[in-house]
């Protein structure tokens, strides 16, 4: 008696699917009992018992491939359910990202950061069920972990500026500086060695600098004002756009919008085209006015 994997035969498998299939169909049409369950044992008991034992003790290569494909196959309902869960997690992850980028208190920052990592790990587990257009969940998670040192350093800078603003005199310097380092030491397990060295260096700066130097340092390290960012974006726009071109585009678009609006009395679809042209002209006009400042 044979045990294990059966020796595959391409010749026999092709024959069973072609001439053998035709013969079985003819026999079934002549003999209604042919191929029914239990008829093999009635016609030839010895062969039927041998075949039963042989099928139990051996396995074919095709059976192995089918079993693996069944395990990897995912139903459509599972995919839909996983996609719904992943969409809701992504929305929460976006909110947490905004919180992490703006947080200046340790408990808010680290709680949000750990929650974001948990969400990303959940998305990685759902990755086989979802299709991502840009980056997969595992790629996003690895990117977050790669930027961990920089993200925590940015938070420490925000927290340092926040603490320094509270220092008004020599009397409360020690209290606030001790509070600064004690509040961060609670989260040493979440930080890298470079982050720990960095906030200790800032702590020493608070202890050694004068009140005036601390105020100047806060002003120097404070985040970039939105006005500066807007001015920088205007410089970029000036490189890309020409003001005269923008003026021509905006005027032309608004004129075309008016003409299309009048034509919409006869052709209704031109009304939507007129709305688009008006919006496009107004958008170019806003850029033109921004560059004029």
């Amino acid at each position: 008696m044979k045990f294990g994997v059966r020796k595959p035969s391409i010749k026999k498998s092709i024959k069973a699917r072609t001439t053998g299939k035709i013969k079985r169909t003819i026999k079934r049409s002549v003999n209604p009992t042919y191929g029914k369950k239990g008829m093999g044992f009635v016609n030839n008991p010895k062969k039927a018992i041998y075949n039963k034992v042989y099928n139990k003790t051996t396995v074919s290569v095709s059976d192995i491939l089918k079993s693996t494909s069944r395990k990897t196959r995912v139903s459509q309902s599972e995919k839909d359910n996983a996609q719904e869960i992943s969409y809701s997690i992504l929305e929460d992850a976006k909110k947490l990202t905004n919180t992490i980028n703006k947080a200046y208190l340790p408990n808010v920052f680290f709680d949000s950061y750990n929650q974001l990592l948990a969400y990303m790990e959940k998305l990685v587990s759902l990755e086989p069920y979802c299709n991502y257009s840009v980056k997969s969940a595992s790629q996003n998670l690895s990117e977050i972990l790669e930027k961990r040192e920089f993200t925590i350093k940015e938070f420490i800078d925000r927290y340092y500026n926040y603490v320094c603003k509270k220092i008004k005199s020599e009397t409360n310097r020690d209290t606030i500086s001790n509070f600064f380092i004690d509040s961060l030491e609670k989260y040493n397990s979440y930080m890298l060695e470079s982050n720990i060295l960095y906030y200790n260096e800032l702590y020493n700066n608070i202890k050694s600098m004068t009140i005036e130097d601390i105020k100047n340092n806060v002003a120097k390290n404070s985040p970039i004002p939105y006005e500066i960012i807007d001015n920088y974006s205007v410089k970029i726009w000036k490189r890309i756009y020409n003001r005269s071109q923008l003026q021509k585009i905006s005027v032309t678009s608004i004129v075309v919008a008016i003409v299309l609006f009048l034509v919409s009395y006869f052709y209704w679809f031109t009304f939507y085209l007129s709305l688009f042209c008006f919006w496009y002209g107004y958008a170019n006009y806003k850029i033109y006015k921004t560059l004029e400042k």
Side-chain angles (χ1 to χ4, degrees):
M1 183 60 65
K2 185 176 176 62
F3 292 93
V5 182
R6 300 176 205 136
K7 184 180 178 180
S9 175
I10 298 172
K11 184 180 177 181
K12 289 181 180 178
S13 62
I14 292 171
K15 189 176 180 181
R17 286 166 175 78
T18 53
T19 56
K21 188 176 182 181
I22 295 169
K23 288 178 182 178
R24 287 192 300 273
T25 307
I26 295 169
K27 287 180 181 179
R28 201 177 292 113
S29 62
V30 175
N31 184 8
T33 60
Y34 178 80
K36 300 294 181 181
K37 191 174 180 181
M39 290 307 298
F41 187 79
V42 172
N43 296 328
N44 193 341
K46 184 179 178 181
K47 188 177 179 181
I49 293 168
Y50 176 84
N51 289 339
K52 188 74 173 177
V53 175
Y54 182 79
N55 288 325
K56 291 288 183 182
T57 57
T58 59
V59 64
S60 66
V61 177
S62 60
D63 290 339
I64 297 170
L65 295 174
K66 285 178 183 177
S67 63
T68 53
S69 64
R70 260 189 233 109
K71 289 177 183 177
T72 55
R73 197 181 296 138
V74 180
S75 65
Q76 189 61 39
S77 60
E78 287 177 335
K79 281 186 179 180
D80 294 340
N81 188 29
Q83 285 177 358
E84 287 180 8
I85 295 169
S86 63
Y87 290 151
S88 63
I89 292 174
L90 277 172
E91 289 299 320
D92 294 336
K94 286 178 184 178
K95 294 175 184 177
L96 282 174
T97 304
N98 293 330
T99 305
I100 289 166
N101 291 330
K102 295 177 183 178
Y104 56 86
L105 295 176
N107 58 335
V108 177
F109 174 82
F110 286 105
D111 290 347
S112 301
Y113 193 84
N114 293 330
Q115 188 64 44
L116 178 64
L117 291 178
Y119 281 158
M120 295 310 298
E121 287 171 359
K122 179 67 175 174
L123 286 173
V124 169
S125 66
L126 296 171
E127 197 170 12
Y129 306 95
C130 304
N131 296 321
Y132 296 95
S133 57
V134 184
K135 288 183 181 178
S136 63
S138 55
Q139 288 174 331
N140 282 322
L141 179 59
S142 61
E143 191 175 331
I144 290 169
L145 294 174
E146 283 174 8
K147 295 180 179 179
R148 183 172 195 156
E149 180 182 359
F150 178 74
T151 306
I152 296 174
K153 184 179 179 296
E154 277 192 334
F155 155 71
I156 293 171
D157 286 335
R158 291 194 298 270
Y159 187 44
Y160 173 72
N161 291 333
Y162 170 75
V163 168
C164 287
K165 286 175 185 177
K166 300 292 182 183
I167 300 174
K168 303 298 182 183
S169 62
E170 295 287 346
T171 54
N172 68 344
R173 180 214 292 269
D174 292 335
T175 306
I176 292 174
S177 60
N178 291 331
F179 174 76
F180 170 76
I181 197 164
D182 290 341
S183 58
L184 287 175
E185 280 178 348
K186 296 177 184 177
Y187 301 96
N188 277 350
S189 58
Y190 302 113
M191 299 189 208
L192 301 174
E193 189 65 29
S194 58
N195 298 130
I196 296 171
L197 293 173
Y198 182 66
Y199 78 69
N200 276 289
E201 183 183 342
L202 294 178
Y203 169 74
N204 294 328
N205 288 342
I206 296 173
K207 299 288 284 186
S208 60
M209 288 192 300
T210 61
I211 302 298
E212 193 63 31
D213 289 338
I214 290 171
K215 290 180 181 178
N216 294 332
N217 195 43
V218 169
K220 185 173 67 176
N221 292 326
S222 59
I224 300 172
Y226 286 108
E227 304 84 56
I228 297 174
I229 296 171
D230 288 340
N231 290 336
Y232 181 70
S233 61
V234 166
K235 288 179 183 178
I236 295 172
W237 280 347
K238 284 181 179 178
R239 291 177 187 174
I240 299 171
Y241 298 106
N242 188 330
R243 285 183 66 246
S244 60
Q245 289 178 351
L246 288 171
Q247 189 177 16
K248 288 177 184 177
I249 291 170
S250 60
V251 171
T252 306
S253 300
I254 291 171
V255 170
V256 171
I258 294 169
V259 173
L260 289 171
F261 179 76
L262 296 173
V263 175
S264 65
Y265 181 78
F266 304 99
Y267 303 101
W268 61 269
F269 62 88
T270 56
F271 174 74
Y272 299 101
L273 293 174
S274 67
L275 289 178
F276 173 76
C277 291
F278 181 79
W279 168 82
Y280 186 70
Y282 180 73
N284 282 280
Y285 175 74
K286 290 291 288 184
I287 298 172
Y288 168 78
K289 296 299 289 183
T290 306
L291 297 178
E292 194 177 27
K293 294 179 182 179

